[in-house]
Amino acid sequence: MKIVVLTGAGVSAESGLGTFRDEDGLWTQYALEDVATPEGFARDPALVHDFYNARRQNCLSSAPNPAHFALATLQKSKAHEVVLVTQNVDDLHERAGSLDVVHMHGRLLGALCADCDARWDVAAAMAVDDPCPSCAAPASRPDVVWFGEMPYHMDEIMADLETCDLFAAIGTSGTVYPAAGFVDLARQAGAHTIEINPDPAGGGFDAVIAGPATTAVPDWVKSLVG
Ligand code: BJW
């Protein structure tokens, strides 16, 4: 069976990384227009770097939880073909042992030159005047996808959605497109669709498992690999 798994902020919530839209989420502390749009970055790059520097630091001091490990087990079991797509910019799936994670909204540990499109890894804080290692322009930005920008790997993801048998959305509110539309695309392709979330949105899915990722995901994976 071919399975496409889409994860969102909720899968990393129990690792201590905040979600965006929950009661205490990041968008209650910051205006998304200020820190997650190209216009916000053009207005105040220092504020945006501060926001991502703090999240990068938080990410580096966090650890994968049982949901990340269970998904890595599902991939490694080879019982099924598993495509793991994440909206998350953290690296907790990789640190749990997942391979070939599709980061559709980019990576906190990546930098991008807004001038020449060069990409490189960053583990430390970024600053407004950081020169691009390739063209030397002081145009470094986090390699993440902001509102109004095209998410990464869309052709590959669309092809996988069109050919999957099972689609699972884990820990995502389903409010941000194009990821929010994946359930409909998978259903149109004939896949069974399932949502795993303590506060499920429900709409559009064939089945719902209401529970936190750290318990619901390992149970679901057990049901698939025995
Ligand atoms: C738990 C849990 C636990 C809690 N266990 N679960 C009108 C209609 C359609 C589209 C648009 C529109 N107007 C504008 C648009 C486009 C726009 C969009 O969707 N806007 C909407 C807000 C309406 N989208 C874009 O601009 C995207 N680009 C685009 O569309 O390009 C054109 C295009 C066209 C056609 C095809 C392809 C492309 C780009 C979107 C970029 C989003 N960027 C961000 C920031 C990334 C970097 C960063 O991390 O800072 O991505 S915003 C933020 O939201 C981040 C997330 O990846 C994303 C999704 O959030 P997520 O993961 O769902 O988190 P939450 O907080 O919303 O939900 C958490 C969930 O966890 C909740 O459900 C909880 O219940 C649950 N939970 N504890 C399990 N223990």
Side-chain angles (χ1 to χ4, degrees):
M1 177 162 68
K2 177 165 176 172
I3 306 173
V4 175
V5 175
L6 171 71
T7 62
V11 82
S12 298
E14 292 163 272
S15 291
L17 302 186
T19 64
F20 295 94
R21 295 170 187 82
D22 288 319
E23 229 168 64
D24 52 352
L26 286 167
W27 295 159
T28 63
Q29 300 156 46
Y30 297 86
L32 69 83
E33 299 78 12
D34 290 341
V35 294
T37 62
E39 295 78 14
F41 186 62
R43 262 195 316 272
D44 192 346
L47 173 78
V48 177
H49 277 307
D50 285 350
F51 175 69
Y52 283 98
N53 286 339
R55 288 181 56 206
R56 189 178 301 109
Q57 205 47 52
N58 198 15
C59 167
L60 289 170
S61 58
S62 70
N65 67 48
H68 298 105
F69 285 111
L71 291 171
T73 300
L74 178 63
Q75 278 190 309
K76 285 185 206 153
S77 81
K78 307 277 185 212
H80 306 286
E81 181 189 350
V82 181
V83 178
L84 180 54
V85 180
T86 189
Q87 298 171 87
N88 297 344
V89 293
D90 66 57
D91 65 344
L92 296 184
H93 284 304
E94 284 89 344
R95 281 197 263 150
S98 277
L99 301 171
D100 302 325
V101 182
V102 182
H103 280 275
M104 66 178 289
H105 290 166
R107 297 184 311 121
L108 268 177
L109 302 181
L112 166 68
C113 174
D115 259 19
C116 75
D117 285 343
R119 288 187 159 80
W120 64 100
D121 286 340
V122 279
M126 294 180 71
V128 173
D129 291 331
D130 282 349
C132 164
S134 188
C135 74
S140 305
R141 54 164 280 183
D143 188 9
V144 300
V145 177
W146 290 322
F147 286 103
E149 298 183 321
M150 181 63 81
Y152 298 150
H153 314 293
M154 285 310 297
D155 290 348
E156 176 191 339
I157 296 169
M158 291 300 170
D160 285 322
L161 289 168
E162 278 166 18
T163 51
C164 71
D165 305 293
L166 175 60
F167 171 76
I170 303 172
T172 175
S173 60
T175 49
V176 175
Y177 287 85
F182 289 175
V183 58
D184 296 328
L185 295 173
R187 277 191 90 174
Q188 281 158 23
H192 182 73
T193 57
I194 180 165
E195 178 182 22
I196 302 179
N197 197 311
D199 185 13
F205 290 88
D206 296 310
V208 166
I209 299 174
T214 52
T215 53
V217 176
D219 287 350
W220 175 66
V221 167
K222 263 185 219 140
S223 75
L224 289 168
V225 299

